[in-house]
Amino acid sequence: MTLPHTLLEGGLLVDGSGQPGWQGDLLMAGDRIVCLGERLRAHPPQGIDLAAAEVVDCRGKVVAPGFIDAHTHDDAAVLRMPEYLPKLSQGITTVVTGNCGISLAPYRVAQAKSPLTLLGADSFRYADMAAYRDAVVAARPSLNVAPLIGHTTLRFAAMEDLDRPASEQEQARMAALLDGCMAEGAFGLSSGLFYEEAYAAPADEVTALARVVARHGGVYATHLRSEMATILEAMVEAGDCAFEAGVPLVISHHKCAGPANWGRTEETLPLVDRLGERQPIAMDVYPYVAGSTVLREDLVDGVIDVLITWSEPHPEAGGRMLADIAAEWGVDQQSAARRLKPGGACYFQMHEDDVERVMAHPRTMIGSDGLPHDRHPHPRLWGAFPRVLARYWRGRGLFTLEQAIHKMTGLTARNFRIPDRGMLRAGHHADVVVFDAERIRDLATYAQPEQLSEGIEAVYVNGQCTYREGGAALTARAGRLLSRKDFSA
Ligand code: ZN
Ligand code: CU
């Protein structure tokens, strides 16, 4: 039996390595890339008959590896809405899940508590990686899932009180759970030491878990203990932890938050470079000046704007400014925030210069950090990747097109050790995006966050055409739960 061939003809092939693109053809068969070349129809590779191939005219378009979202909270979203249009329509073909210490597996509970609620309180049904794998296989998501295991999830699974360090016994229980998940192919460990439920964990607790990950060849990604006044100390802690354990480090959604810290990427980025001389280190970033997470009074300073994304006691507050709600209630913003909890918010806590400086850094990957369970989500959920290309490449010239794509593909696959993806290479899985570089544009805004982007013309996942511009995901849902162990020789 011969596999059906698809020939993407005459596009600008930007291969994900960061090297200059060139005009040519890309040939796919089944779920793999067969080869790249010039005028392949006239000069097919030996032994391949292209008479019956599906030929797609890509002249004037960019053909690139499918984008890899380096930072997501999509663990449950890929099960609940497997077509997953918000990401697919951005050209994303793989999502790295389980970030910020919060993963769905390995933990079972009827009603999860904050911050696990970021994934949906009733989503925690998977006691181990095998159970989560079965769920992904059954859901058949449209894109690939590369799971990290969350430190905070491990704490919930192994500990009664989270306001103290783990005991020796609890530490052993967490290590065993993590070891099982890594043996099943998980890509590494994430932490969210900033969150109350992990804040009491000393560096040693995390280092011991990172050692488990090191044995399996995984990575360690961290939402730092602080992104504000003590960010340098937090970065050194993360650096030491990864160095001692012998794992590559990813600093999640790197930012300097709060007006008092604006401009301090001039200190943090040189520190990253310094650490980089002794250990593997990378960062991810989303292209916006607002962050988004659970609603917390300590993040409400009365200075920065705060937009409510969801509120359990006041669902109608979703999409409204906290200042307006506080004025209406005749209370200060912190009291209003307290009344709206549990909930979520966008905090306009970054400076554009810092965002650009981080994004332009050669170690930085693009990650959306979108929150798919929010009633009125941050626009990064629908727009992050097209926005990098529209605003920061085409508009601001922050990097070349090839560098921008590299930050979304090859660099990310390398940093997370995702096998055979992220580059246009013979033998790689056929995750491919075709887009119009002149038209590509995000339409999602803070006011209207759920908008499809423009200019993403076609998305192929494992060789299957899964999305075409303008709307509905096609019926193909060819995504897989990826495993660190799937390297083909
Ligand atoms: Zn985070
Ligand atoms: Cu996150």
Side-chain angles (χ1 to χ4, degrees):
M1 195 191 90
T2 53
L3 293 164
H5 284 90
T6 304
L7 183 64
L8 304 182
E9 211 173 47
L12 179 69
L13 301 174
V14 177
D15 72 1
S17 68
Q19 295 305 306
W22 52 283
Q23 202 184 343
D25 305 341
L26 177 82
L27 180 63
M28 308 186 275
D31 66 351
R32 299 279 174 157
I33 294 173
V34 177
C35 65
L36 292 74
E38 278 168 298
R39 291 184 296 121
L40 286 177
R41 245 196 305 177
H43 309 283
Q46 232 190 351
I48 293 181
D49 179 7
L50 292 180
E54 186 197 347
V55 179
V56 183
D57 182 2
C58 293
R59 281 172 301 175
K61 318 292 181 205
V62 174
V63 176
F67 302 150
I68 302 173
D69 191 341
H71 187 110
T72 85
H73 299 285
D74 292 342
D75 310 44
V78 295
L79 305 178
R80 286 193 180 178
M81 39 175 166
E83 65 289 350
Y84 210 14
L85 206 52
K87 293 291 173 78
L88 191 60
S89 59
Q90 298 184 52
I92 293 166
T93 55
T94 297
V95 292
V96 177
T97 60
N99 277 283
C100 297
I102 304 161
S103 62
L104 211 47
Y107 184 44
R108 270 180 75 150
V109 72
Q111 284 293 311
K113 298 196 181 113
S114 176
L116 304 187
T117 44
L118 283 179
L119 301 184
D122 59 352
S123 304
F124 287 78
R125 299 171 199 162
Y126 312 101
D128 53 32
M129 210 48 216
Y132 182 64
R133 178 179 299 274
D134 289 349
V136 173
V137 169
R140 291 193 307 117
S142 66
L143 32 70
N144 303 307
V145 181
L148 299 173
I149 301 304
H151 166 237
T152 302
T153 295
L154 294 172
R155 294 194 113 219
F156 271 102
M159 298 172 67
E160 287 300 326
D161 322 302
L162 302 184
D163 54 359
R164 56 170 177 77
S167 69
E168 212 169 302
Q169 226 178 3
E170 291 162 342
Q171 184 85 49
R173 172 91 184 113
M174 290 196 285
L177 284 169
L178 179 59
D179 190 56
C181 292
M182 291 305 295
E184 284 273 339
F187 286 81
L189 173 73
S190 82
S191 73
L193 299 176
F194 158 80
Y195 292 99
E196 258 170 281
E197 292 72 14
Y199 194 79
D204 288 352
E205 180 179 318
V206 181
T207 305
L209 294 173
R211 283 204 178 92
V212 174
V213 167
R215 282 208 302 277
H216 292 275
V219 304
Y220 170 48
T222 179
H223 178 159
L224 297 170
R225 208 180 276 284
S226 169
E227 295 175 319
M228 303 180 94
T230 55
I231 185 165
L232 295 176
E233 292 84 340
M235 289 169 72
V236 168
E237 177 189 352
D240 288 348
C241 164
F243 179 69
E244 279 168 37
V247 288
L249 176 66
V250 175
I251 295 179
S252 296
H253 45 59
H254 184 48
K255 65 171 82 74
C256 290
N261 298 293
W262 287 350
R264 292 189 66 205
T265 51
E266 304 221 29
E267 301 167 59
T268 61
L269 294 176
L271 176 57
V272 168
D273 288 330
R274 229 163 32 245
L275 291 171
E277 288 167 15
R278 111 179 144 165
Q279 66 193 102
I281 181 167
M283 299 167 275
D284 63 72
V285 74
Y286 47 83
Y288 298 86
V289 294
S292 186
T293 185
V294 288
L295 189 54
R296 278 172 56 154
E297 294 105 289
D298 64 327
L299 298 177
V300 173
D301 61 3
V303 178
I304 61 166
D305 285 334
V306 178
L307 171 71
I308 302 301
T309 52
W310 62 279
S311 161
E312 214 171 272
H314 297 277
E316 72 287 355
R320 297 194 62 203
M321 299 307 292
L322 179 62
D324 296 341
I325 297 166
E328 221 169 271
W329 290 349
V331 299
D332 63 25
Q333 289 192 39
Q334 288 201 343
S335 322
R338 209 168 301 125
R339 278 198 219 170
L340 289 163
K341 287 203 318 185
C346 290
Y347 304 91
F348 290 77
Q349 58 187 1
M350 278 99 86
H351 194 283
E352 183 71 38
D353 293 350
D354 288 317
V355 174
E356 289 199 359
R357 233 176 261 134
V358 173
M359 208 183 308
H361 193 282
R363 291 180 189 271
T364 303
M365 310 169 276
I366 306 304
S368 70
D369 203 6
L371 298 172
H373 303 280
D374 288 7
R375 182 188 172 101
H376 184 98
H378 187 301
R380 63 195 182 183
L381 179 67
W382 288 75
F385 282 69
R387 182 176 168 89
V388 169
L389 293 168
R391 182 180 169 97
Y392 294 99
W393 164 60
R394 209 176 47 219
R396 302 272 299 136
L398 207 56
F399 24 53
T400 65
L401 174 64
E402 286 84 354
Q403 287 165 338
I405 302 280
H406 180 56
K407 289 171 175 295
M408 303 174 170
T409 58
L411 182 64
T412 317
R414 190 171 78 208
N415 284 332
F416 285 99
R417 300 178 168 178
I418 299 172
D420 299 340
R421 295 180 198 267
M423 302 261 268
L424 301 181
R425 287 277 184 277
H428 269 213
H429 298 277
D431 293 344
V432 179
V433 56
V434 179
F435 67 89
D436 184 329
E438 296 311 311
R439 277 199 308 119
I440 193 166
R441 186 160 75 102
D442 58 307
L443 296 183
T445 61
Y446 294 100
Q448 300 214 313
E450 298 180 331
Q451 303 288 327
L452 290 173
S453 298
E454 285 178 354
I456 299 284
E457 300 202 349
V459 180
Y460 295 83
V461 180
N462 293 309
Q464 306 252 357
C465 184
T466 303
Y467 176 79
R468 286 204 188 277
E469 178 161 21
L474 306 184
T475 45
R477 296 214 311 255
R480 299 173 186 163
L481 185 73
L482 303 185
S483 162
R484 200 191 63 258
K485 302 183 297 181
D486 282 347
F487 271 104
S488 58

